[in-house]
Amino acid sequence: MKKRVFSGIQPTGDIHIGNYLGAIKYWVSMQENYDNVFCVVDLHAITVPQDPKVLHAKIREVAGLLMAAGIDPQRSILFVQSHVKAHSELAWLLNCFIPMGWMQRMTQFKEKSVKQKEQVSVGLFDYPALMAADILLYDTQVVPVGEDQKQHVELARDAAGRFNSIYGDTFVLPEPLIPNVGARIMGLDEPTKKMSKSEPGTNHAINLLDTPDTIRAKFARATTDSLREIRFDEKRPGIFNLLTIYQTFSGIGKQELEAKFEGKGYGDFKKALAEVVIEGLRPLQERYKELTADPTRIDSILAEGANRARPLAERTLARVQQKIGLG
Ligand code: AMP
Ligand code: TRP
């Protein structure tokens, strides 16, 4: 029996190379040895304000990009969260078992809510409960995510453990799986900050659908430092981040990479980096174009994915309802 993998991605902003290197690339490679469920989490997206038309289009774009990146909807289940109603329902049930104190410790909420003050939605606070529902509905064992999501996966595990200790064995306990390289890609403009979809700067992230010229221009403007050496030195976050991107796209080892650029200037290095990333993204961009040539294709793949996900989710939900004594 293959282990069950679940992961989710929000249909907001533009998917960037941080999402690709920190998450999507691993999801693709895990299809061989695991039984995968991948979800476009639109219900998570509305925890902050969204334009309806943009949201609707982004759901399809993200799904298309996942497939273009190599998620095979035959082998893996790929679906949209709101198409399977059990997600909202289990989130409510879990709400009644997750202590307020656990949620108050979530660092992502603390960071995100600073900006929004009292306007912050209850949904944003409750986000980890919905995420726990996503994971637990599919008896997930492994959750591949970037480092920033580790705390949320641990909360899902704790919630499952707590429920199991009250009602007996109900949920499988999930574990986060954090990739070693590229787990945290930083912003090009501000390399001490994680590359993020919600960052406004036009020079912040390389998006998966960026044209070659845009990629060249963004790398050319990337923040570095006034030193010269091109080395993996964590104290120099700009050049460290660019080297990490180069390494993950090319597969070249650290020492070999440092040797390759020994005595070269930042300008030459950035040009070479841009070409590696352009070539790395080219096959993905071509497949995306093919997929979206027929506008109904993605919708029918997603409908099929939801049809496969639904019975799995409903079976778990029924088990939980019965344990609690509902209905
Ligand atoms: P999000 O953009 O928050 O929907 O994240 C989707 C997935 O990409 C999650 O598994 C994140 O942990 C991962 N991710 C997001 N930003 C980065 C980043 N800068 N570096 C590495 N992984 C990331
Ligand atoms: N919160 C995750 C993120 O922003 C997305 C997500 C939602 C997720 N549900 C999930 C990831 C379940 C893994 C498992 O990146």
Side-chain angles (χ1 to χ4, degrees):
M1 276 277 281
K2 288 183 181 172
K3 283 192 181 171
R4 168 60 49 80
V5 164
F6 184 100
S7 204
I9 187 158
Q10 295 199 46
T12 51
D14 291 318
I15 306 284
H16 52 67
I17 57 172
N19 298 128
Y20 180 65
L21 299 174
I24 301 170
K25 208 173 138 201
Y26 287 85
W27 301 357
V28 171
S29 69
M30 289 177 93
Q31 293 181 113
E32 281 298 322
N33 304 315
Y34 294 86
D35 185 6
N36 293 280
V37 182
F38 297 118
C39 185
V40 181
V41 293
D42 55 349
L43 297 172
H44 276 112
I46 62 163
T47 54
V48 295
Q50 301 293 343
D51 178 285
K53 280 209 186 76
V54 175
L55 178 62
H56 189 83
K58 279 282 166 191
I59 291 168
R60 276 111 197 123
E61 182 186 295
V62 170
L65 281 171
L66 290 179
M67 286 187 260
I71 298 294
D72 173 1
Q74 304 292 326
R75 276 196 291 172
S76 301
I77 297 180
L78 174 64
F79 74 106
V80 180
Q81 190 182 30
S82 66
H83 291 177
V84 178
K85 306 268 182 278
H87 290 250
S88 312
E89 211 167 331
L90 183 62
W92 172 255
L93 302 184
L94 292 174
N95 272 332
C96 301
F97 294 89
I98 297 173
M100 204 59 186
W102 291 8
M103 294 288 244
Q104 280 162 338
R105 284 200 287 274
M106 295 295 114
T107 54
Q108 190 171 72
F109 175 75
K110 285 189 220 169
E111 284 163 19
K112 286 194 184 175
S113 60
V114 172
K115 291 184 205 150
Q116 298 183 48
K117 307 222 170 68
E118 282 98 83
Q119 288 308 307
V120 67
S121 73
V122 176
L124 190 68
F125 180 70
D126 198 36
Y127 181 114
L130 179 60
M131 183 160 158
D134 298 341
I135 295 168
L136 300 179
L137 277 174
Y138 299 93
D139 294 335
T140 303
Q141 286 150 297
V142 182
V143 186
V145 282
E147 200 178 79
D148 62 318
Q149 296 299 314
K150 189 168 172 234
Q151 198 185 26
H152 292 160
V153 179
E154 284 164 354
L155 184 129
R157 184 185 173 86
D158 292 344
R162 186 179 164 92
F163 192 96
N164 287 353
S165 72
I166 301 171
Y167 293 104
D169 226 12
T170 311
F171 291 121
V172 172
L173 301 187
E175 266 180 71
L177 181 72
I178 317 288
N180 299 330
V181 173
R184 215 174 146 80
I185 301 294
M186 312 308 272
L188 299 187
D189 53 349
E190 235 187 310
T192 49
K193 258 187 161 173
K194 194 189 83 156
M195 187 178 282
S196 155
K197 289 190 249 166
S198 48
E199 222 37 62
T202 51
N203 206 37
H204 175 75
I206 304 283
N207 301 321
L208 295 190
L209 293 174
D210 276 349
T211 63
D213 283 345
T214 305
I215 294 173
R216 287 186 193 106
K218 284 181 177 176
F219 277 126
R221 273 180 266 138
T223 304
T224 47
D225 52 43
S226 55
L227 300 173
R228 272 166 202 284
E229 270 181 313
I230 299 173
R231 291 205 167 276
F232 279 94
D233 178 354
E234 297 203 40
K235 287 188 225 85
R236 293 161 55 201
I239 201 74
F240 184 87
N241 188 42
L242 297 182
L243 278 165
T244 303
I245 295 171
Y246 198 119
Q247 190 197 357
T248 39
F249 267 98
S250 67
I252 299 178
K254 284 194 168 116
Q255 284 178 352
E256 204 185 320
L257 198 53
E258 286 176 346
K260 188 174 161 70
F261 289 100
E262 172 107 56
K264 299 251 167 67
Y266 286 171
D268 289 338
F269 169 64
K270 285 171 162 184
K271 279 190 193 129
L273 172 60
E275 296 315 310
V276 164
V277 173
I278 290 165
E279 286 317 310
L281 293 179
R282 193 188 298 282
L284 182 153
Q285 295 188 348
E286 280 167 8
R287 280 196 296 270
Y288 183 79
K289 226 174 167 180
E290 281 165 30
L291 263 167
T292 47
D294 171 3
T296 63
R297 176 126 170 250
I298 289 177
D299 274 307
S300 62
I301 293 171
L302 290 174
E304 170 63 24
N307 288 341
R308 285 166 65 199
R310 208 171 284 116
L312 303 175
E314 283 175 358
R315 200 182 53 195
T316 308
L317 182 64
R319 193 164 79 220
V320 176
Q321 287 169 324
Q322 190 242 330
K323 293 262 178 152
I324 299 174
L326 292 169

